[in-house]
């Protein structure tokens, strides 16, 4: 009986098109912990609204129990999502269940884009949390008042969020260490050849130097500033002052290091951001235009078509087509 009471039941609510890698990275360390301990430490259950099987982004389907009937018995419940808003739109029935679980003391978590559903349920107010970097722009637009952090995972009391991918391996290392100590958690990580366990605040993405293929400090500072000022772009003079260089030197850096002009690089950064908003957010095209620093929806549409070869409307219609 004591052994049964000591089992932590961990539920994973799967949302259609969830990322299979994120799910496996979260569940497999718990299985290994049971194996290495020689007893059941963690009982893992896959859940869905209504108990129907849920297909992952790779097409693999997972059998699930009904979250509305089972979840009150869990120690922790994670929402594991991927895809985009089209996959999350039918999840509103989950929100009251999550709120009730939170009131009853169940620890609530989000993996990959699962944090968006937690935010929509009102469970991330006054909490630090994270989400996969691809979904961060749409979450910021939808919930600008929330305290989103760019981190691999965040544990804030009874809320646990993770960027997904392989980051759940790091998160589960921390949660297993929380229960069983760091030595045992290290054994679990070694089981998966996970020798370099990341810190919670480590970045989700490669550094700007790796992404852009340059080591020039002034250029890197400008590129990072571009990504941070998409809604209100700075002109060349302001960027040069920010980096402490002349405008002529700024132009040389972009031409020599990137083979692209300052203006073209900035516009590409903004248009890539706009495409993510078109794919993931319910914002209108006009709202996306202003959110990415364009003076009008017409100006935005022309620039978008010139770069991607189709209009913003056609891009969005293509995504919504069956």
């Amino acid at each position: 009986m004591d052994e049964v009471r000591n089992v932590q039941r961990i539920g994973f609510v799967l949302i259609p098109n969830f990322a299979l890698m994120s799910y496996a990275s979260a569940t497999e360390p718990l299985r290994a912990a049971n194996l290495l301990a020689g007893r059941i430490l963690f009982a893992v259950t896959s859940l869905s609204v209504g108990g129907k099987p849920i297909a992952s982004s790779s097409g693999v389907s997972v059998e699930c129990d009904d979250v509305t009937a089972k979840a009150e018995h869990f120690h922790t419940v994670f929402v594991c999502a991927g895809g985009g808003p089209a996959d999350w739109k039918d999840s509103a029935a989950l929100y009251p269940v999550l709120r009730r679980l939170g009131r009853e003391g169940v620890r609530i978590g989000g993996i990959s884009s699962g944090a968006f559903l937690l935010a929509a349920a009102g469970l991330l107010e006054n909490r630090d949390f994270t989400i996969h970097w691809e979904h961060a722009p749409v979450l910021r637009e939808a919930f600008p008042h929330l305290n989103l952090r760019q981190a691999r995972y965040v544990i804030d009391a009874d809320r646990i969020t993770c960027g997904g991918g392989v980051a759940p391996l790091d998160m589960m290392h921390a949660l297993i260490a929380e229960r069983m100590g760091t030595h045992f958690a290290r054994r679990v990580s070694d089981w998966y050849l996970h020798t370099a366990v990341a810190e919670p605040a480590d970045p989700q993405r490669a550094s700007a130097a790796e992404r852009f293929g340059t080591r020039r400090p002034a250029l890197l500072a400008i590129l990072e500033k571009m990504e941070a000022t998409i809604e209100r772009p700075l002109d060349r003079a302001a960027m040069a002052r920010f980096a402490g260089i002349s405008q002529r030197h700024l132009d040389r850096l972009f031409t020599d290091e990137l083979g692209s002009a300052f203006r073209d690089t900035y516009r590409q950064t903004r248009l890539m951001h706009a495409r993510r908003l078109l794919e993931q957010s319910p914002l209108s095209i006009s709202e996306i235009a202003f959110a990415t620093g364009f003076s009008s929806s017409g100006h935005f549409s022309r620039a978008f078509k010139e770069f991607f070869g189709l209009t913003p409307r056609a891009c969005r219609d293509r995504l919504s087509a069956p």
Side-chain angles (χ1 to χ4, degrees):
M1 181 65 68
D2 288 341
E3 186 167 311
V4 172
R5 283 199 300 266
N6 285 332
V7 173
Q8 282 189 4
R9 298 191 64 206
I10 312 294
F12 291 86
V13 182
L14 304 182
I15 306 302
N17 210 27
F18 70 94
L20 189 60
M21 177 175 283
S22 299
Y23 172 69
S25 295
T27 57
E28 281 295 291
L30 301 178
R31 181 185 69 84
N34 293 339
L35 184 65
L36 292 172
R39 64 187 179 91
I40 302 300
L41 300 172
F42 305 98
V44 175
T45 305
S46 299
L47 303 164
S48 69
V49 176
K52 60 182 182 296
I54 301 295
S56 70
S57 56
S58 61
V60 174
S61 187
V62 176
E63 295 292 323
C64 296
D65 289 342
D66 186 358
V67 64
T68 60
K70 298 272 189 172
E72 64 269 18
H73 304 299
F74 284 82
H75 175 276
T76 305
V77 169
F78 289 98
V79 177
C80 189
D87 304 302
W88 315 333
K89 61 182 173 59
D90 296 326
S91 299
L94 178 62
Y95 301 160
V97 178
L98 294 175
R99 289 193 288 266
R100 175 172 56 82
L101 294 175
R103 290 193 300 269
E104 294 173 355
V106 175
R107 194 159 56 169
I108 308 294
I111 295 174
S112 192
S113 57
F116 191 98
L117 279 72
L118 268 57
L123 293 169
L124 294 177
E125 301 291 328
N126 302 312
R127 301 298 185 98
D128 288 347
F129 70 99
T130 193
I131 194 169
H132 189 284
W133 63 265
E134 185 181 19
H135 301 294
V138 66
L139 190 142
R140 286 197 183 96
E141 292 292 337
F143 307 102
H145 65 289
L146 294 182
N147 192 23
L148 173 62
R149 292 173 48 194
Q150 279 303 299
R152 293 180 73 80
Y153 67 92
V154 175
I155 301 175
D156 188 347
D158 56 356
R159 297 291 181 269
I160 310 169
T161 49
C162 175
V166 297
L169 291 172
D170 305 313
M171 177 179 70
M172 287 305 176
H173 178 95
L175 296 181
I176 292 169
E178 176 184 271
R179 182 174 184 199
M180 300 295 294
T182 56
H183 177 70
F184 183 82
R186 181 71 269 172
R187 290 176 61 203
V188 173
S189 293
D190 285 348
W191 186 267
Y192 291 105
L193 314 186
H194 182 211
T195 56
V197 179
E199 294 296 319
D202 284 354
Q204 293 185 13
R205 303 175 72 186
S207 69
E210 293 170 302
R211 285 187 283 121
F212 292 104
T214 180
R215 298 286 175 181
R216 303 295 290 272
L219 180 57
L220 290 172
I222 292 170
L223 291 168
E224 290 173 344
K225 191 69 169 176
M226 283 181 172
E227 294 179 331
T229 55
I230 285 174
E231 187 170 354
R232 294 181 177 84
L234 302 177
D235 60 22
R236 283 171 62 252
M239 279 292 197
R241 286 195 300 272
F242 167 75
I245 59 176
S246 68
Q247 293 183 53
R248 181 175 295 180
H249 186 41
L250 179 150
D251 290 338
R252 281 199 303 269
L253 284 173
F254 275 85
T255 301
D256 295 346
E257 294 289 320
L258 302 181
S260 176
F262 166 84
R263 181 174 178 271
D264 294 339
T265 303
Y266 212 162
R267 176 169 288 196
Q268 177 179 336
T269 299
R270 291 157 54 207
L271 289 171
M272 294 296 290
H273 182 80
R275 187 172 70 175
R276 285 194 291 271
L277 292 178
L278 283 167
E279 292 171 348
Q280 300 175 14
S281 83
L283 295 175
S284 69
I285 290 174
S286 294
E287 289 170 326
I288 291 173
F290 293 119
T292 50
F294 289 90
S295 57
S296 69
S297 57
H299 182 204
F300 166 61
S301 293
R302 288 190 297 274
F304 192 93
K305 184 175 182 180
E306 181 181 349
F307 188 76
F308 290 110
L310 74 171
T311 65
R313 174 65 60 194
C315 178
R316 179 163 273 177
D317 289 347
R318 187 179 64 179
L319 290 166
S320 61

